[in-house]
């Protein structure tokens, strides 16, 4: 019995720790139960369909798919990619069949709120960005390099599941969304 | 049974102590050498706030020699010592400063980036970072002489992850020798620049 407990402890520690050679979560994996602080900007709360202004989890977002960009203010590729990710956001807004169904957020790994704000201001990022100053989210996601894009299917009823994952830049925003929708088996 | 218990505890400790990847950028792909977790600091600072900053001249990646005192009366200076080229945390530190140029302009300050690597190594490494707008200096030979003078040369010959804020009069306003395993937050830098620029 005691051995079983110890084994369970080992498994638990391994699951939450940044094990050497840890792999980023990928397609088919459940999205971890990560709590994000609510956006301070009312328009961004409205965009995500959040009713309250406190912390939220991904399933609180009003969408079928949430695209999550894992980025860092300190990452040259993320800096270069920022205008194109802004285009992706605008494309989602401008496309009636996607506007309400697909939402986009970013998580700045190792970035303080100020660093995330600095990135946001520098590149005029219009969609919600969230700080992960202590790398807690980064660790829960298996420590992906940046930028790392994920498409997370939110419904219906089941746990949020990763249906798309991509390390590095995407070429064409429209094709990128279509790939995610295809992987999610949505039209 | 007892042996198995120790083995399991060892596995647990290994899992708990493994080094985080610290949001490593794809820009460097698999080119970085993972040094693993290091002793937080390994030197004794030899300069103090309020003192005149020791002057130095070092070669830069851009080809010219840079002397600290050439900025006196003109710009505040932030010396950014980083431990070594091609290592995880260092490689994602200066690219952040690249997009923060407006902040340094706002507070009338420049950065001097310094490592103990030689110039060819620094040249290759910084080319992966995009457009670095500030001088990157090599404190390679005599090895780590400037780092040693400031008291930020570690026992293994690398430098600490240190920031030294020097005002336009050449006086040290703030020192920060942080945990080598962690990148200093921009928050700290902005606060120091603001305070230094506001001082008479």
């Amino acid at each position: 019995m005691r051995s079983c407990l110890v084994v369970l402890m080992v498994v638990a520690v391994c699951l939450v720790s940044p094990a050497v050679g840890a792999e980023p979560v990928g397609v088919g994996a459940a999205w971890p139960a990560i709590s994000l602080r609510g956006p301070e900007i009312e328009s961004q709360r409205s965009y995500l369909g959040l009713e309250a202004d406190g912390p939220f989890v991904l399933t609180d977002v009003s969408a079928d798919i949430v695209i999550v960009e894992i980025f860092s203010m300190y990452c040259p590729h993320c800096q270069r990619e920022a205008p194109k990710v802004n285009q992706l956001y605008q494309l989602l807004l401008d496309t009636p069949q996607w506007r309400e169904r697909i939402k986009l957020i970013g998580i700045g790994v190792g970035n303080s709120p100020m660093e995330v704000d600095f990135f946001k201001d520098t590149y005029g990022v219009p969609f919600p960005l969230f700080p992960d100053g202590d790398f807690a989210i980064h660790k829960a996601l298996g420590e992906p390099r940046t930028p790392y894009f994920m498409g997370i299917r939110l419904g219906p009823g089941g746990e949020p599941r990763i249906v798309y994952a991509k390390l590095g830049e995407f070429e064409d925003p429209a094709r990128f969304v279509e790939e995610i929708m295809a992987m999610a088996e949505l039209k | 049974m007892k042996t198995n218990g120790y083995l399991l505890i060892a596995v647990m400790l290994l899992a708990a102590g493994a080094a985080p990847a610290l949001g490593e950028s794809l820009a460097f792909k698999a080119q970085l050498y993972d040094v693993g977790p290091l002793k937080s600091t390994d030197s004794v600072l030899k300069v103090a706030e309020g003192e005149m900053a020791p002057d130095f001249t070092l070669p830069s990646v851009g080809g010219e020699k840079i002397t600290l005192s050439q900025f006196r009366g003109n710009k505040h200076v932030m010396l950014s010592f980083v431990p070594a080229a091609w290592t995880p945390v260092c490689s994602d530190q200066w690219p952040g400063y690249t997009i923060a140029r407006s902040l340094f302009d706002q507070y009338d300050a420049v950065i001097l980036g310094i490592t103990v690597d030689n110039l060819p190594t620094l040249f290759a490494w910084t080319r992966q970072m995009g457009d670095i707008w500030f001088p990157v200096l090599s404190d390679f030979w005599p090895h780590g002489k400037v780092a040693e003078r400031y008291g930020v040369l570690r026992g293994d010959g690398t430098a600490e992850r240190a920031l030294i804020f020097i005002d336009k009069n050449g006086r040290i306003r703030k020192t920060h020798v942080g945990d080598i395993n962690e990148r200093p937050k921009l928050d700290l830098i902005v606060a120091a620049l603001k305070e230094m620029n506001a001082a008479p």
Side-chain angles (χ1 to χ4, degrees):
Chain A
M1 181 60 187
R2 188 177 292 173
S3 296
C4 290
L5 283 173
V6 175
V7 169
L8 281 173
M9 285 169 67
V10 171
V11 171
V13 170
C14 290
L15 283 174
V16 299
S17 297
V20 172
E23 286 293 318
V25 291
V27 174
W31 174 259
I34 291 167
S35 175
L36 297 167
R37 71 175 197 176
E40 291 173 2
I41 304 169
E42 165 56 30
S43 61
Q44 294 198 339
R45 281 201 298 275
S46 170
Y47 167 68
L48 295 176
L50 301 174
E51 292 173 3
D53 59 0
F56 70 99
V57 292
L58 219 55
T59 47
D60 294 332
V61 175
S62 173
D64 293 331
I65 299 277
V66 178
I67 300 174
V68 178
E69 180 194 15
I70 303 300
F71 76 98
S72 167
M73 169 199 149
Y74 294 88
C75 153
H77 277 254
C78 307
Q79 296 167 2
R80 198 170 61 223
E81 181 88 336
K84 196 186 284 181
V85 185
N86 289 348
Q87 287 173 23
L88 168 66
Y89 172 74
Q90 196 57 50
L91 175 70
L92 293 174
L93 286 187
D94 292 344
T95 309
Q97 67 269 32
W98 290 344
R99 186 184 304 140
E100 297 300 327
R101 299 177 70 197
I102 309 174
K103 302 291 168 69
L104 173 65
I105 67 170
I107 297 174
V109 293
N111 292 176
S112 68
M114 181 192 186
E115 290 170 326
V116 165
D117 284 346
F118 188 78
F119 187 86
K120 175 176 168 287
D121 293 344
T122 300
Y123 295 104
V125 178
F127 57 90
L129 299 180
F130 302 94
D132 176 33
D134 60 2
F135 292 98
I137 297 173
H138 188 236
K139 287 173 188 169
L141 295 174
E143 301 179 349
R145 288 184 177 155
T146 53
Y148 190 66
F149 293 92
M150 282 170 285
I152 295 110
R153 179 85 160 94
L154 294 187
E159 62 181 354
R161 193 159 290 280
I162 298 166
V163 294
Y164 180 92
K166 175 179 174 56
L167 175 64
E169 301 163 56
F170 57 83
E171 294 294 325
D172 177 66
R175 204 176 314 138
F176 177 64
V177 177
E178 284 160 5
E179 283 175 19
I180 294 173
M181 293 297 273
M183 292 292 282
E185 298 178 340
L186 291 172
K187 290 182 179 177
Chain B
M1 182 62 192
K2 199 171 181 179
T3 308
N4 287 342
Y6 286 137
L7 186 64
L8 287 168
I9 289 168
V11 171
M12 288 167 66
L13 289 172
L14 272 173
L22 293 169
E24 186 178 295
S25 167
L26 184 62
F28 295 93
K29 297 180 182 166
Q31 296 168 334
L32 301 184
Y33 181 79
D34 188 358
V35 292
L38 298 171
K39 184 180 175 186
S40 174
T41 57
D42 188 34
S43 63
V44 178
L45 202 59
K46 293 179 180 173
V47 295
E49 292 165 21
E51 292 178 1
M52 291 300 287
D55 202 15
F56 60 80
T57 298
L58 287 173
S60 72
V61 169
E64 69 276 31
K65 290 197 169 185
I66 301 289
T67 299
L68 174 64
S69 57
Q70 74 186 61
F71 298 97
R72 200 169 294 176
N74 187 29
K75 292 281 185 186
H76 305 299
V77 176
M78 182 182 88
L79 302 184
S80 171
F81 288 94
V82 298
W86 301 108
T87 56
V89 183
C90 305
S91 299
D92 278 346
Q93 184 171 341
W94 289 346
Y97 302 162
T98 299
I99 63 166
R101 181 172 190 168
S102 60
L103 276 178
F104 286 86
D105 287 345
Q106 181 184 344
Y107 296 113
D108 217 12
V110 295
I111 303 172
L112 297 181
I114 305 174
T115 85
V116 297
D117 300 286
N118 67 8
L119 278 175
T121 300
L122 285 176
F123 174 79
W125 183 50
T126 54
R127 277 172 64 95
Q128 307 298 311
M129 297 181 184
D131 296 323
I132 300 286
W133 57 270
F134 51 87
V136 172
L137 312 181
S138 168
D139 189 19
F140 178 68
W141 201 257
H143 188 79
K145 185 181 177 185
V146 174
E148 171 64 19
R149 176 63 189 89
Y150 277 75
V152 294
L153 188 66
R154 294 169 65 96
D156 65 357
T158 60
E160 299 285 7
R161 192 173 312 285
L163 300 173
I164 311 286
F165 295 87
I166 301 163
D167 69 16
K168 291 179 184 175
N169 298 319
R171 199 168 293 281
I172 295 172
R173 288 288 184 173
K174 183 175 176 59
T175 60
H176 172 80
V177 182
D179 182 343
I180 194 171
N181 304 292
E182 295 176 7
R183 189 174 50 222
K185 298 288 189 201
L186 190 64
D187 312 47
L188 178 155
I189 293 170
V190 170
L193 291 176
K194 198 172 182 177
E195 190 178 333
M196 187 161 62
N197 199 44

